[in-house]
Amino acid sequence: MSLTDLIPQMLPAIESELQRHVARLDQPRIKPFYEMLAYHMGWIGEGAGPEATGKRIRPLLVLLSTASCGANWELALPAAAAVELVHNFSLVHDDVQDNSEKRRGRPTVWVKWGVPMAINAGDALFVQSNQAIMDLAKNYPSDVVVKAAKILHDTCLDLTRGQYMDLFYEERLDLTVDDYWPMIGGKTAALLAGCTSIGAVLGGTDEATIEAYRSFGHYLGLAFQVQDDLLGIWGDEALTGKSAASDLVEGKNSLPVLVGLGKKGKFAERWKQGPIQPEEVEEVARLLASESAYEYTIEASKQMTDLAINSLRTADPQGAAGAALFELAEKLLNRQA
């Protein structure tokens, strides 16, 4: 049994669990409110379906981690739903804060219903994540539920730290590579580390193994973000589905950009003059590469990937789910889009 065998079992169960929690708002008088959340989750509205829901990587990490410790993954479904609801609450709020008009090719919640309604929808998803994690009490002892809930809550605080740094850094021109790692550690790696930690806790394993699973999720998140930064400048548009110009035009403080700024060369000189125009992107990307930013980012991605895989080996996940975890990591760490 491999990842392709387990995913068809897990994904429908994840979706059903998510729908059960979001349906808490499917009531008379507030049905349009429920429909906002259902729309954002990709279940209804124009373009609804697998492309709109996303890949559900985070809940899969929870369930695979639990199963690879030898436990029943179905009992961990409330936790899988909880992490995905956290992820989606952060996306709704991110879209407002970043003024993003599209999410997975569809108008964002704030575009369709306005900023105040979008903030409230994000808040509802956050509350539902807390309700979901508490549903573990049906199948786990209270100390395990509290431990899983604490990891989830600590993770949410880490997300806000990362988002604060991201927003605070937007207008800064004095950032360095040292500023980058804490930011993505909060924005991207924290939730993946939370997923693998919670999964291991629900798997009933020991503290050292839980830490190895946490470390795997953390470095997986760092590697994933570094790759995203690489693809955001030098990716194949036909594969990524977005313009390779976007990260430079948006002025994103990605790893290659911070490497380039640290060189204090022609790229840094141009960056400090103001926004990059679409017609300049090819030349600016070439400048970055010539100043070793591409090479540096590739090497950073390799380092984080090695740390992730080594941490997973230390965790020593068992059975079909263990093999699937290695397979999923391989897919995420060697993607072209």
Side-chain angles (χ1 to χ4, degrees), residues 42 57 69 94 109 126 145 157 166 168 170-171 180 185 197 206 219 224 259 276:
I57 296 298
C69 292
D94 278 1
V109 174
F126 174 71
V145 178
L157 193 60
D166 191 28
F168 181 61
E170 280 182 358
E171 304 301 324
Y180 173 82
S197 299
D206 59 82
Y219 288 116
F224 188 90
V259 172
I276 306 297

Side-chain angles (χ1 to χ4, degrees), residues 181-244:
W181 296 109
M183 178 181 71
I184 70 162
K187 275 189 68 73
T188 306
L191 188 51
L192 296 188
C195 292
T196 51
S197 299
I198 291 171
V201 166
L202 300 181
T205 191
D206 59 82
E207 289 298 325
T209 306
I210 292 170
E211 173 55 27
Y213 273 96
R214 186 209 65 79
S215 182
F216 161 60
H218 173 72
Y219 288 116
L220 180 68
L222 295 183
F224 188 90
Q225 186 58 59
V226 171
Q227 285 188 342
D228 205 53
D229 289 354
L230 192 75
L231 294 171
I233 295 176
W234 294 290
D236 183 337
E237 293 180 21
L239 295 175
T240 63
K242 68 174 186 177
S243 169

Side-chain angles (χ1 to χ4, degrees), residues 94-105:
D94 278 1
D95 288 340
V96 171
Q97 292 167 328
D98 297 341
N99 204 36
S100 299
E101 296 185 358
K102 291 288 181 72
R103 167 71 58 186
R104 300 186 183 119

